[in-house]
Amino acid sequence: MSLAVPKDRDAFASGLGAFAATLGSAIGLGNIWKFPYLTGSNGGAAFVLIYLLSIAFVGIPILVAEHTIGRKMRLNAVHAYGTVIPGQKFWAGIGMAGVAAALLIMAFYTDVAGWVFAYVFKSFAAVFTGATLNGKTFEALAGGTWEPLCWQVAVLVLTTSIIAAGVSQGIEKVTKTLMPLLFILLIICDVRALTLPGASQGVAYLFRPDLSKLSATVLLSALGLAFFKLSLGMGTMTTYGSYLPDSTKIVPNATRVALADTAVSLLAGLAIFPAVFAFHGTPAGGPGLLFNTIPLIFSKMPLGGLFTVVFFVLTAIATIGAMVSLIEVPVAWIIEKGHMKRGNAAMFTGVLMFALGIPATLSQNPVMAEVKLFGKNCFDLFDFTSSNILLPVGGLAIAILAGWALSRKAFVTEMNKGYATTPWHGHVVFAIIKYLTPILILVILLSSLGIIKLH
Ligand code: PHE
């Protein structure tokens, strides 16, 4: 159905196909834009530590649970959850909350993707004009009115057309070939950033945790990022699971995806923070951090202008993969409900996303910046509501469903398909899904509401 997901079921013929497809949805702005930005605004290494723990003890188990339920049901997410336990239709709520989350995420994701696309052109033009991209470039773009809105529309038209035309698989192939290139380019950025004078401060910022920086807000942001990063808690990965062949070993596959995805985030962090410190910037630079830092890193390199263009082109391509998997969640549901054909469903979803996207995009505009609800502008509010509430609550419901409501035997058998004999980790992973994962999510959610105090 979506990018990566072939039309006929079971079409991920190989283990590599299953791995690459899952990774295609996971890798995106979350790694390159959101991880560094949130690390910077939440105080650095302590946040990174909680994020890594969240990936290990919440992210991987929920990914395993979603893949297992998806493969067992072989249906789209709303129907998979609605019929997984006969007579308990209410679990379909997980899929419906996922549709809401997809709409909210796309409202701000397309804004940021629009900035990336704009930077492709701006950096390309700069190669010829000799102009430099700096903080003012970003402010003018993000704080504008028509410019960011036009880019957002362009991004939405591009991605919804891909969905409408059903050519996601072609894009998927392009993405797969280009992702290793993004990886290599990030390593080049890292080498450049790490050899700048004063770089070690940035490395310490990323990896030497100061536990006094921990608060309920930091915990919730790190947990929310783990969900956002691995596209969890909203049905995307359940759908991908429905296309996994029986031979896929779900636990190792999920672990590999999480490791590769986390590696990309850390590589992005290792490029950004050393450079931020070397150039005396502020780590808490907010959503503009990536856009202000990358051109700076490359500006100190031969052919730097060209590298900047390539960097934003590859990032733009990575965002398409994630966006297609996001749009497909509501589109699949609308089509399955039988109300619309694919093309109309894609257009309807795109228009809805743009309607929500306008206030999100304009919240960077000085005129709108002061319009706040619960102390947050629209951009932050959509991000907070989806990443920090809807996805973790969805994940909690999935863990409870997998660990407590479904038959243990049926779940573990499905999870361990692909093995001739039960592997050692089979029951350990199940115990984590049943006890540890839901408890961790619950503790973090309750502490952020002030209902329990952690210290
Ligand atoms: N994981 C994607 C990223 O990091 C975003 C995403 C979230 C995609 C939820 C699908 C579902 O950019």
Side-chain angles (χ1 to χ4, degrees), residues 105-341:
I105 292 176
M106 278 299 281
F108 70 89
Y109 206 94
T110 48
D111 180 23
V112 183
W115 300 341
V116 172
F117 279 72
Y119 262 63
V120 168
F121 286 86
K122 286 183 193 296
S123 56
F124 190 67
V127 172
F128 295 101
T129 59
T132 45
L133 303 177
N134 54 29
K136 290 210 173 54
T137 322
F138 179 74
E139 250 172 59
L141 168 67
T145 304
W146 295 111
E147 196 183 358
L149 284 177
C150 287
W151 283 111
Q152 185 170 35
V153 171
V155 166
L156 273 168
V157 168
L158 177 70
T159 42
T160 45
S161 319
I162 292 170
I163 295 257
V167 294
S168 314
Q169 272 178 270
I171 305 292
E172 160 76 0
K173 290 211 179 78
V174 178
T175 316
K176 256 189 263 176
T177 353
L178 290 180
M179 280 313 97
L181 221 57
L182 180 65
F183 205 74
I184 295 170
L185 201 71
L186 277 174
I187 293 178
I188 297 176
C189 287
D190 288 350
V191 173
R192 176 62 284 205
L194 288 169
T195 48
L196 289 166
S200 59
Q201 243 181 308
V203 180
Y205 185 79
L206 206 52
F207 292 119
R208 198 172 304 141
D210 169 1
L211 296 184
S212 70
K213 294 251 161 67
L214 289 182
S215 65
T217 321
V218 172
L219 293 183
L220 185 63
S221 297
L223 179 75
L225 179 63
F227 274 96
F228 183 89
K229 264 311 323 111
L230 295 178
S231 316
L232 300 174
M234 52 172 285
T236 305
M237 287 304 179
T238 313
T239 308
Y240 277 72
S242 77
Y243 293 93
L244 293 180
D246 286 342
S247 59
T248 297
K249 298 181 170 79
I250 286 181
V251 175
N253 183 59
T255 312
R256 260 181 247 130
V257 167
L259 286 176
D261 179 72
T262 308
V264 173
S265 298
L266 293 176
L267 284 178
L270 271 176
I272 306 257
F273 290 107
V276 165
F277 282 93
F279 298 124
H280 308 291
T282 40
L289 187 65
L290 168 81
F291 300 90
N292 293 332
T293 314
I294 287 293
L296 258 182
I297 300 177
F298 286 123
S299 71
K300 309 283 172 208
M301 258 171 74
L303 296 181
L306 226 52
F307 274 107
T308 313
V309 180
V310 178
F311 180 90
F312 283 110
V313 169
L314 292 174
T315 305
I317 292 167
T319 67
I320 298 179
M323 284 189 289
V324 168
S325 81
L326 272 161
I327 303 178
E328 190 66 34
V329 176
V331 167
W333 188 52
I334 296 171
I335 297 174
E336 294 259 345
K337 281 241 130 198
H339 295 320
M340 283 184 201
K341 288 208 164 64

Side-chain angles (χ1 to χ4, degrees), residues 1-22 67 74 169 172 176 237 239-248 253:
M1 54 169 264
S2 68
L3 172 97
V5 180
K7 294 284 172 288
D8 46 324
R9 293 195 177 268
D10 263 6
F12 294 162
S14 69
L16 189 66
F19 169 73
T22 314
H67 274 173
R74 301 218 181 271
Q169 272 178 270
E172 160 76 0
K176 256 189 263 176
M237 287 304 179
T239 308
Y240 277 72
S242 77
Y243 293 93
L244 293 180
D246 286 342
S247 59
T248 297
N253 183 59

Side-chain angles (χ1 to χ4, degrees), residues 420-433:
T421 52
T422 307
W424 65 269
H425 57 250
H427 295 291
V428 179
V429 175
F430 182 78
I432 293 177
I433 295 175

